[in-house]
Amino acid sequence: DADVTQTPRNRITKTGKRIMLECSQTKGHDRMYWYRQDPGLGLRLIYYSFDVKDINKGEISDGYSVSRQAQAKFSLSLESAIPNQTALYFCATSDSRGAGNTIYFGEGSWLTVV
Amino acid sequence: DAKTTQPNSMESNEEEPVHLPCNHSTISGTDYIHWYRQLPSQGPEYVIHGLTSNVNNRMASLAIAEDRKSSTLILHRATLRDAAVYYCILRVIIQGAQKLVFGQGTRLTINP
């Protein structure tokens, strides 16, 4: 079983709809992240959370919101989806106690906005 | 912004060594150099990281230039399963928070 699980893995939604991507982890890490990857590009940070009460914007937070429901759960919401939010989304975790702060990624969620 | 520059693509043969270069001329003294790779249809996975000294692990070696403005990921004996996009990343401290800044990566093709 994956340590970082994302649901759904694939979703097609219509412009203007609200969509939530969920992430759960069994690694016991305190830090969680949401990244976005567009075809042929690297990953860009949307939001990150260093613990349940600490949520921060990343490079491209406009149009997104997040909720850290518990240490193990971090969800990403698109309140009103638009086509240019079509991308591959990755959740990730890291342990602040670990040297070097290695980040562990989920398998990704493909989101298509039509 | 701290950033890295890598070749868009590289090609090598199976069972031969591969040297993947990365330039990071704006690196600061506290920035760690990380390498991740992304296999098709998967999330990125950690390969190796270092600060100043060369590093070795079971997956690869990391050679860091003395001035730290460049580094090289070394795969000692490439296999077909090493075909992936390799990201050279700086772990930077911004306003007290640690972040990984991804570039576009190098797509590595391994020929049988």
Side-chain angles (χ1 to χ4, degrees):
Chain A
D1 287 345
D3 294 320
V4 183
T5 303
Q6 294 181 226
T7 55
R9 295 293 312 281
N10 290 283
R11 177 63 59 87
I12 300 174
T13 192
K14 293 183 178 180
T15 297
K17 292 291 188 182
R18 183 177 187 272
I19 180 80
M20 178 183 288
L21 305 179
E22 298 185 342
C23 177
S24 63
Q25 51 116 346
T26 59
K27 300 187 76 66
H29 289 172
D30 52 340
R31 298 180 173 184
M32 297 187 74
Y33 311 79
W34 275 104
Y35 284 87
R36 166 180 172 159
Q37 185 173 36
D38 294 279
L41 300 179
L43 279 70
R44 293 182 290 170
L45 183 62
I46 306 173
Y47 269 95
Y48 60 102
S49 170
F50 281 179
D51 65 39
V52 175
K53 295 181 180 179
D54 180 14
I55 293 178
N56 303 279
K57 293 182 178 180
E59 306 167 68
I60 53 164
S61 58
D62 287 349
Y64 302 94
S65 62
V66 290
S67 174
R68 184 84 183 265
Q69 301 96 323
Q71 186 183 40
K73 295 184 183 295
F74 192 38
S75 60
L76 175 72
S77 293
L78 287 67
E79 296 299 327
S80 181
I82 56 176
N84 75 3
Q85 291 178 311
T86 293
L88 179 58
Y89 291 85
F90 287 103
C91 175
T93 74
S94 69
D95 185 350
S96 62
R97 297 162 298 177
N101 290 115
T102 300
I103 290 188
Y104 298 87
F105 288 85
E107 295 187 339
S109 296
W110 277 104
L111 177 65
T112 303
V113 183
V114 298
Chain B
D1 280 353
K3 58 189 295 186
T4 60
T5 304
Q6 301 174 252
N8 289 333
S9 62
M10 290 185 64
E11 198 169 325
S12 185
N13 297 319
E14 198 174 9
E15 299 188 1
E16 291 184 356
V18 180
H19 291 234
L20 296 164
C22 181
N23 288 318
H24 28 78
S25 58
T26 61
I27 193 170
S28 72
T30 57
D31 293 344
Y32 278 80
I33 301 157
H34 284 236
W35 284 81
Y36 281 71
R37 72 179 186 181
Q38 187 173 19
L39 280 68
S41 302
Q42 294 188 25
E45 66 172 342
Y46 169 80
V47 177
I48 200 167
H49 77 278
L51 183 62
T52 55
S53 303
N54 295 343
V55 184
N56 299 296
N57 67 20
R58 62 176 180 81
M59 290 181 71
S61 295
L62 176 60
I64 301 173
E66 197 169 333
D67 63 5
R68 300 206 329 123
K69 293 185 176 182
S70 65
S71 61
T72 302
L73 179 71
I74 303 166
L75 307 179
H76 295 286
R77 197 161 171 263
T79 70
L80 296 178
R81 288 176 295 179
D82 291 322
V85 178
Y86 286 78
Y87 293 100
C88 169
I89 300 158
L90 297 184
R91 194 202 74 180
V92 301
I93 307 293
I94 300 175
Q95 296 180 331
Q98 297 172 342
K99 298 180 183 178
L100 294 183
V101 180
F102 280 79
Q104 295 191 5
T106 296
R107 182 173 299 277
L108 177 64
T109 300
I110 304 296
N111 300 314

